Amino acid sequence: MKEYKKLLLSNKAWASEKLAVDEHYFDDLSKDQKPLFLWIGCADSRVPAEEITHANPGDIFVHRNVANMVVHTDMNLLSVLQYAVEVLQVKHVIVCGHYNCGGVRAAMTNKDYGLINKWLRNIKEVYEKNFEEIHALPSEKDQFDRLVELNVKEQVLNLAKTTIIQKAWKKFEYPYLHGWVFDMHHGEIKEILNIDPNEWQSSVFSFNFDEEL
């Protein structure tokens, strides 16, 4: 059997299982989406948001890219963020990285990877910023793991710097921001950073919306 056919057969089996439990499942699912969470995760195939959180369809609005980045020039990410925050009005935005991330590992080398160098530069800047802290750690694994964590932290802070998040904080007093790292060796998620609405301030990146709102 061709590999892709297995996915289609699995889909049919999954749909049948859902209907066996609730014959109105897909009618209800198709009406609307009201997720509480926006998940910004890594594109790695081993870190599916719904699977590792045991969530159901409709619970999580998902955006994934290489190394779970929040880049201020990424219109794809920003479009997802704006829709999730302003239209769906999610209450939480989660950046979830994972240990053993290929993108983070690549950024720690001096190898030329071609086009992806442009993307990896964002991680390299986190690496350079925290170089002394990272290399004070005793092993390569410790250093690698720490950069994964610091990268997640940086991306959460990048969320806080956006006008999308700051306007929502001003208007709705949400979403809450979270930075997580998934450990695929144990299957558990580690909390790295949490930012409550209006808790974060910056003399450079905080915007004044009083006149606009």
Side-chain angles (χ1 to χ4, degrees):
M1 181 184 295
K2 293 182 178 180
E3 289 88 347
Y4 77 91
K5 289 287 189 182
K6 294 179 182 179
L7 296 180
L8 295 173
L9 287 173
S10 294
N11 166 255
K12 290 182 183 295
W14 171 77
S16 296
E17 289 171 5
K18 291 296 185 183
L19 290 172
V21 174
D22 180 2
E23 63 180 4
H24 301 294
Y25 181 84
F26 292 107
D27 291 331
D28 294 337
L29 186 66
S30 65
K31 288 175 184 176
D32 198 4
Q33 62 167 332
K34 296 180 180 178
L36 288 175
F37 308 96
L38 167 61
W39 176 282
I40 301 171
C42 183
D44 192 298
S45 61
R46 300 165 294 177
V47 195
E50 293 87 353
E51 185 75 15
I52 67 173
T53 58
H54 210 252
N56 292 312
D59 290 345
I60 307 176
F61 197 62
V62 178
H63 175 84
R64 296 169 72 179
N65 60 44
V66 174
N68 41 270
M69 302 298 292
V70 177
V71 181
H72 72 281
T73 55
D74 182 356
M75 297 306 295
N76 188 353
L77 176 280
L78 293 175
S79 297
V80 169
L81 180 64
Q82 183 176 16
Y83 185 76
V85 171
E86 295 181 5
V87 179
L88 298 177
Q89 297 186 6
V90 296
K91 303 302 186 293
H92 304 266
V93 180
I94 299 161
V95 176
C96 186
H98 64 98
Y99 297 120
N100 202 31
C101 177
V104 173
R105 183 181 293 278
M108 295 184 78
T109 74
N110 296 105
K111 185 175 178 180
D112 177 10
Y113 289 96
L115 178 63
I116 199 173
N117 290 338
K118 313 300 182 189
W119 189 258
L120 295 178
R121 173 171 174 166
N122 298 289
I123 310 171
K124 282 181 173 291
E125 288 175 351
V126 180
Y127 185 29
E128 183 179 51
K129 180 180 176 181
N130 298 280
F131 192 86
E132 290 186 6
E133 176 190 340
I134 291 168
H135 283 276
L137 296 171
S139 71
E140 260 186 47
K141 182 183 181 303
D142 291 335
Q143 294 167 13
F144 183 17
D145 289 350
R146 185 56 181 154
L147 182 54
V148 167
E149 295 172 353
L150 290 168
N151 185 54
V152 164
K153 179 180 178 181
E154 191 75 17
Q155 305 321 308
V156 174
L157 295 175
N158 285 343
L159 283 172
K161 293 174 184 177
T162 66
T163 55
I164 296 169
I165 292 296
Q166 291 184 33
K167 283 181 180 179
W169 282 344
K170 184 78 173 178
K171 190 173 183 180
F172 305 116
E173 296 191 352
Y174 57 79
Y176 296 83
L177 306 183
H178 311 277
W180 295 353
V181 174
F182 175 65
D183 186 341
M184 62 182 66
H185 292 289
H186 304 287
E188 296 183 355
I189 292 170
K190 177 180 178 179
E191 287 187 274
I192 302 299
L193 176 68
N194 294 292
I195 299 178
D196 290 349
N198 299 314
E199 175 185 81
W200 178 88
Q201 293 291 331
S202 167
S203 58
V204 175
F205 288 103
S206 293
F207 292 90
N208 187 342
F209 303 113
D210 290 340
E211 293 182 6
E212 187 175 335
L213 297 176

